Amino acid sequence: DIQLTQSPSSLSASVGDRVTITCRASQTISRYLNWYHQTPGSAPKLLIYAVSTLQDGVPSRFSGSGSATDFSLTISSLQPEDFGIYYCQQTYTTPQTFGQGTKVHIK
Amino acid sequence: QITLKESGPVLIKATETLTLTCTVSGFSLSDPRFGVTWIRQPPGKPLEWLAHIFSKDEKSYTPSLRSRLTISKDTSKSQAVLTLTNLGPADTGTYFCARTRHSGYDRFDYWGQGNLVTVSS
């Protein structure tokens, strides 16, 4: 299985801050990397697919970058509704594994 | 409008077999652009990919649960079904089904609300 390691595991930031979460794959996954956001009691929501393509309806403050094994998700100006857990996921091969998650707290 | 809804037991005993149904609307399970994936999440833990199925009945399973998992679909009923045999307490969690967009780069663009399953010993 391909392992995805996210960092940090958690962070606390203020509204308006720029936030970056990284995801490292245990082997190259080309551009088969997605990001999801989950709030308590809800299903995950797709934010970004294929490293950097914004899903329809997702605010432009979210962006993604990277290639091969190293990827990142950036929120340019953190908003109150951005709290929750962010997961990266690879769809390069099955099982299509997820990272362990990064918990974002709003200060 | 695209929706997915999981249905199944909330409480089930260890060693029994879990059967979950995902009923979809707004797209067809015969459309080659889409599939259905099952994902689970133990309480307070990360997401775990379980299995997927596509229009031509192509299936894939997570190796760690392969001997216990079966995925199937009934296109006429717009349903995908997951069974998990010989349950244990570690199988407790929320089970989600998600639409898999299978064009170019796979991604899960619509999710069900989840079905919380508790396995009692």
Side-chain angles (χ1 to χ4, degrees):
Chain A
D1 299 4
I2 294 176
Q3 309 300 319
L4 296 178
T5 303
Q6 291 181 230
S7 61
S9 298
S10 68
L11 66 91
S12 185
S14 299
V15 171
D17 283 353
R18 183 180 182 88
V19 168
T20 297
I21 299 167
T22 65
C23 177
R24 174 163 288 178
S26 59
Q27 65 183 75
T28 184
I29 56 172
S30 185
R31 295 185 62 81
Y32 292 85
L33 193 283
N34 305 326
W35 290 96
Y36 299 85
H37 175 222
Q38 186 180 32
T39 53
S42 296
K45 173 189 169 187
L46 176 65
L47 296 175
I48 287 172
Y49 64 93
V51 176
S52 58
T53 302
L54 222 57
Q55 173 68 359
D56 291 347
V58 173
S60 59
R61 64 180 180 273
F62 291 93
S63 64
S65 64
S67 64
T69 60
D70 292 294
F71 305 90
S72 63
L73 170 72
T74 297
I75 308 171
S76 60
S77 177
L78 193 69
Q79 298 302 302
E81 61 268 30
D82 298 337
F83 83 97
I85 303 177
Y86 291 81
Y87 293 97
C88 58
Q89 181 216 12
Q90 63 82 19
T91 57
Y92 182 76
T93 188
T94 56
Q96 295 179 334
T97 45
F98 292 87
Q100 84 279 13
T102 295
K103 199 167 196 176
V104 173
H105 305 267
I106 307 291
K107 279 183 187 173
Chain B
Q1 185 187 5
I2 297 160
T3 64
L4 300 94
K5 185 172 175 60
E6 305 89 351
S7 57
V10 173
L11 184 63
I12 190 167
K13 293 180 180 177
T15 75
E16 291 186 336
T17 294
L18 174 66
T19 299
L20 293 167
T21 301
C22 177
T23 303
V24 310
S25 65
F27 69 100
S28 171
L29 296 181
S30 64
D31 190 328
R33 295 175 298 170
F34 306 116
V36 171
T37 300
W38 285 94
I39 302 108
R40 74 178 180 181
Q41 186 172 37
K45 292 193 174 180
L47 303 163
E48 180 183 15
W49 185 95
L50 297 178
H52 69 204
I53 189 165
F54 290 104
S55 59
K56 294 182 180 175
D57 220 36
E58 315 98 301
K59 305 168 188 176
S60 186
Y61 298 92
T62 189
S64 61
L65 295 172
R66 177 59 189 96
S67 62
R68 299 170 51 209
L69 274 175
T70 303
I71 192 170
S72 62
K73 67 181 175 70
D74 185 331
T75 300
S76 65
K77 293 183 179 178
S78 295
Q79 292 179 334
V81 177
L82 185 78
T83 63
L84 181 61
T85 62
N86 192 23
L87 292 173
D91 296 311
T92 291
T94 300
Y95 287 73
F96 296 100
C97 62
R99 188 179 83 163
T100 305
R101 194 165 182 101
H102 191 46
S103 47
Y105 296 89
D106 282 4
R107 63 268 194 192
F108 306 160
D109 58 355
Y110 289 88
W111 294 63
Q113 64 193 20
N115 190 121
L116 176 59
V117 177
T118 300
V119 180
S120 65
S121 53

